[in-house]
Amino acid sequence: MIVVIGKHRPDLAELTDVVFVDGWSGIPDDVVASMEAVIGRVPGDVLARAAKLRWVHSPAAGVDADLSPEMLASDVVLTSSVGNGAIPLAEHAMLLMLMLNRDVPRWMRAQAEHRWDRFTHGELAGLTLGIYGLGNSGLDLARKAEAFHLRVIGVRRRAGEPSPHVEQVDFGTLLEQSDFVVVTAPSTPQTLGRFGAPEFARMKRSAYFICISRGGIADDDALLNALRSGQIAGAGLDAHGVEPLPPQSAFWDLPNVIVTPHNGATSTGTARRGEQIVRENLRRFLSGQELLNVVDKAAGY
């Protein structure tokens, strides 16, 4: 039996042994005991009762919320939809870079006030983009940035793996040379809190920090201090340490910060590619083939 959790329900009309449910509440024990695959998140207590479960697929690209102690200890194969949102996330990073570089909020304020405000602004050509995390989103961003005549440098966990359009450097070099530092890395024990006060102090005072992947990779207090003190020039934040971002958060009102509500990848294309991954993995699961996007539970992605 295959169980699909959540409101989004891929077209699986050709399959007969599929159960669609909105959530785990009220699901009979016999269904839990007989399911072999789940599309959606499986709580630890359910996982412990699912004796036949062999595969769980996360509809999300990041799986930090799926890696319960029970999942980490189990032999259940976990796959993800990593890569489905790479294109819009890279586009969102470029959008934030352009908005910060050209001070687009100033134009928007002038428009709201019907005020003709011409000023000298920046341009991206010739600047250096540093990408922290060279997975699908990071590599797509590198390709786009190169077309804007940016120098692109980056770091990845497995240093030395091929990274088209990117000059791989060490972390210190990325901090010191980048005009934009863009975080595209997943949330793992190794990346959480990676950007703190010492890291922001090594960045150029004219540099911008952008996070489009997961909150918590930057220490929020350290980032706020860096922004308020002028240690860095500004930030574009789509991913936040606490989500939804609380109304009282200082990030909302800082003049050098652009906040978006973690929906840089909320596009029709992301949903379409995610469904394609689900359908292909279902085909492979039913035919006994190797699955796509198998998560390294120890690494966290």
Side-chain angles (χ1 to χ4, degrees):
M1 179 182 294
I2 298 166
V3 175
V4 180
I5 302 293
K7 302 289 187 183
H8 177 68
R9 300 181 175 183
D11 181 10
L12 306 175
E14 72 278 16
L15 300 180
T16 56
D17 199 17
V18 178
V19 175
F20 293 94
V21 292
D22 291 338
W24 289 107
S25 177
I27 295 181
D29 287 341
D30 61 325
V31 172
V32 174
S34 61
M35 62 190 188
E36 297 178 84
V38 173
I39 311 301
R41 185 164 296 147
V42 183
D45 62 317
V46 174
L47 190 65
R49 296 184 286 120
K52 292 186 177 180
L53 186 61
R54 294 185 285 136
W55 168 48
V56 172
H57 179 80
S58 170
V63 296
D64 43 302
D66 298 88
L67 291 171
S68 64
E70 292 83 358
M71 175 60 78
L72 290 170
S74 78
D75 294 328
V76 173
V77 175
L78 176 65
T79 60
S80 76
S81 296
V82 65
N84 65 331
I87 291 171
L89 280 176
E91 290 178 356
H92 201 71
M94 292 302 309
L95 169 72
L96 292 171
M97 289 166 61
L98 285 163
M99 290 181 72
L100 290 163
N101 179 255
R102 297 198 171 212
D103 197 1
V104 168
R106 176 172 169 176
W107 276 322
M108 300 305 293
R109 289 191 297 271
Q111 181 176 347
E113 297 167 4
H114 298 192
R115 182 166 44 83
W116 190 259
D117 182 18
R118 299 182 76 245
F119 58 92
T120 300
H121 53 73
E123 57 184 39
L124 296 183
L127 299 181
T128 297
L129 163 63
I131 304 175
Y132 180 69
L134 294 173
N136 293 285
S137 300
L139 292 177
D140 196 67
L141 172 59
R143 181 182 178 187
K144 290 175 167 62
E146 192 176 63
F148 277 78
H149 311 293
L150 284 142
R151 174 195 177 211
V152 184
I153 60 177
V155 297
R156 67 184 311 166
R157 185 173 72 94
R158 294 184 293 268
E161 285 195 6
S163 300
H165 312 285
V166 183
E167 173 192 345
Q168 289 194 45
V169 298
D170 60 52
F171 187 53
T173 299
L174 180 133
L175 292 172
E176 293 166 2
Q177 296 189 7
S178 297
D179 297 294
F180 297 91
V181 172
V182 179
V183 174
T184 62
S187 176
T188 71
Q190 290 71 41
T191 62
L192 283 175
R194 189 67 179 93
F195 289 82
E199 287 72 35
F200 291 121
R202 292 183 69 175
M203 290 173 59
K204 299 179 182 180
R205 296 182 70 85
S206 58
Y208 296 95
F209 177 81
I210 293 173
C211 186
I212 60 168
S213 57
R214 284 291 187 270
I217 294 175
D219 178 272
D220 280 353
D221 289 338
L223 177 56
L224 279 169
N225 288 336
L227 290 164
R228 284 168 166 161
S229 67
Q231 181 64 60
I232 61 174
L237 305 174
D238 189 50
H240 312 272
V242 178
E243 294 185 355
L245 188 65
Q248 67 272 21
S249 171
F251 286 117
W252 289 110
D253 298 313
L254 288 179
N256 55 346
V257 174
I258 296 172
V259 169
T260 56
H262 205 159
N263 73 325
T266 311
S267 71
T268 54
T270 295
R272 182 182 66 253
R273 287 183 291 270
E275 185 160 329
Q276 289 170 348
I277 293 169
V278 168
R279 292 179 62 83
E280 175 59 18
N281 261 352
L282 273 170
R283 185 192 68 77
R284 290 172 176 236
F285 178 75
L286 294 172
S287 60
Q289 294 178 280
E290 183 178 354
L291 299 174
L292 300 173
N293 294 351
V294 174
V295 173
D296 180 339
K297 295 180 187 179
Y301 61 94

